[in-house]
Amino acid sequence: MQISKYSDAKRTVVDNRLWAMKNSLVLEKNMCIVCDVCSKACPMEAVVLSSAGVDIDEKKCNLCEVCAYVCPTGAINIFSDKNKKEILRQSGGFPSFPKKLEIKVEKCPKDCVECEKACDMTTGGAIKVVSHKVIDVSEKCLRCVKCAEACPEGAIKVNPVFFGDIEINAEKCPTGCVECVDVCPTRAIKEKNGKVLLEKKYCVFCGACEVVCPAKDKGALVMKRNIMVSNGDGFSAIWTNALEKLTSTKSLAAAYNSINSEKLRKLALESQMVEEK
């Protein structure tokens, strides 16, 4: 097995070669919002966060696919040769997540582009409207509700992955600090008259603000993810580990562990790997 890493201003690539097969992790830096989701979910602690951005420790990374599944912008992808590698998900070990937006295009009014105008994320607009209909919702979509709010016909439904709570205690913020304002991808955090303001309804709990906050240990910024929504359950310890690290639902993660153990036992029995007592 041969492991190599290449990085430039646009992307980081980790290659894992085994005889004729090559597995690769590709991180597109222009799509990365430097949140903490991938780093917390990684079971190998191979994703490294710093003020310079996200890096991959190729000595720890085993290309398990988890970072690619949880990345909110699709900045990370895993490939086996030239095809996307999704073995863990296809085997049922890791669940999928709800579709970002549900759009009833038949309700879109003629000449209306309100949703496109409302989408003002730092990563660039995620919605494109052509011929009066929403034709594209890119991976850049972070599941904020701005497009849904702007739609005059209520044609858009947003499906969040995280539910939680966030507080910014301005009195504990360092004087003149606007680090969280600069990195918030949905612009839920803004600065006005020298004060940092938060519009909670636009927060998607990505954690980018926590990554850069210099006073989070003093309580200047407190973010808590309570729920992580998925389509079905994964039955692997990797999924339980990700759920526990990304949310505060440790009791739920423990329950998943119990359920997963039973699922694995049944699979083993079905494949006649063990004898039922």
Side-chain angles (χ1 to χ4, degrees):
M1 183 172 65
Q2 181 181 359
I3 300 173
S4 62
K5 177 180 173 180
Y6 167 79
S7 186
D8 60 19
K10 293 184 177 181
R11 63 182 58 87
T12 294
V13 179
V14 175
D15 286 334
N16 185 322
R17 291 181 179 272
L18 182 62
W19 299 103
M21 179 182 293
K22 182 178 77 169
N23 293 328
S24 303
L25 178 151
V26 180
L27 165 63
E28 300 290 350
K29 295 181 179 180
N30 67 325
M31 293 182 67
C32 177
I33 58 174
V34 195
C35 66
D36 69 349
V37 178
C38 57
S39 64
K40 285 188 174 180
C42 178
M44 305 303 294
E45 299 183 348
V47 183
V48 182
L49 297 181
S50 71
S51 57
V54 174
D55 195 17
I56 308 296
D57 186 339
E58 71 276 17
K59 295 179 181 179
K60 293 182 178 180
C61 179
N62 63 4
L63 283 78
C64 71
E65 307 166 16
V66 170
C67 57
Y69 296 151
V70 300
C71 178
T73 63
I76 304 176
N77 285 286
I78 311 291
F79 297 95
S80 181
D81 291 326
K82 295 183 179 180
N83 301 312
K84 273 196 176 183
K85 179 173 175 282
E86 295 190 336
I87 296 173
L88 182 60
R89 178 170 284 170
Q90 290 169 355
S91 65
F94 209 92
S96 60
F97 299 106
K99 186 177 181 180
K100 292 187 174 187
L101 303 181
E102 294 178 36
I103 304 172
K104 297 180 179 179
V105 294
E106 67 275 7
K107 295 179 67 174
C108 293
K110 185 178 179 181
D111 300 324
C112 181
V113 291
E114 291 303 312
C115 59
E116 186 175 315
K117 290 193 297 183
C119 187
D120 66 345
M121 296 180 302
T122 57
T123 52
I127 295 180
K128 299 298 179 186
V129 178
V130 176
S131 299
H132 325 306
K133 293 183 179 180
V134 178
I135 63 157
D136 182 45
V137 179
S138 76
E139 288 284 357
K140 293 179 181 179
C141 174
L142 289 171
R143 305 174 190 264
C144 77
V145 296
K146 291 184 179 181
C147 58
E149 279 190 346
C151 180
E153 297 296 327
I156 302 175
K157 179 187 176 184
V158 181
N159 297 313
V161 166
F162 293 113
F163 290 89
D165 195 21
I166 181 171
E167 296 288 343
I168 294 179
N169 301 304
E171 69 278 4
K172 297 182 180 180
C173 295
T175 303
C177 180
V178 290
E179 293 288 331
C180 57
V181 176
D182 292 340
V183 302
C184 180
T186 62
R187 306 187 197 278
I189 307 175
K190 297 182 178 181
E191 183 271 335
K192 186 176 181 180
N193 299 326
K195 292 185 178 180
V196 174
L197 304 176
L198 169 67
E199 290 187 89
K200 287 187 179 182
K201 62 182 178 179
Y202 299 135
C203 177
V204 294
F205 303 100
C206 68
C209 53
E210 267 199 326
V211 172
V212 300
C213 179
K216 62 182 178 183
D217 292 338
K218 297 179 181 179
L221 191 153
V222 180
M223 188 196 75
K224 186 178 181 181
R225 302 181 183 105
N226 295 324
I227 298 174
M228 187 176 184
V229 181
S230 63
N231 292 327
D233 305 326
F235 66 80
S236 66
I238 291 178
W239 163 238
T240 306
N241 175 74
L243 184 67
E244 185 170 344
K245 287 186 175 181
L246 286 169
T247 72
S248 60
T249 52
K250 290 188 177 181
S251 58
L252 178 59
Y256 270 123
N257 245 336
S258 176
I259 294 170
N260 293 341
S261 296
E262 180 61 22
K263 284 183 178 179
L264 289 171
R265 176 179 170 275
K266 288 182 178 179
L267 285 174
L269 288 170
E270 289 172 3
S271 61
Q272 297 182 346
M273 291 175 61
V274 297
E275 293 183 3
E276 187 167 17
K277 295 180 180 180

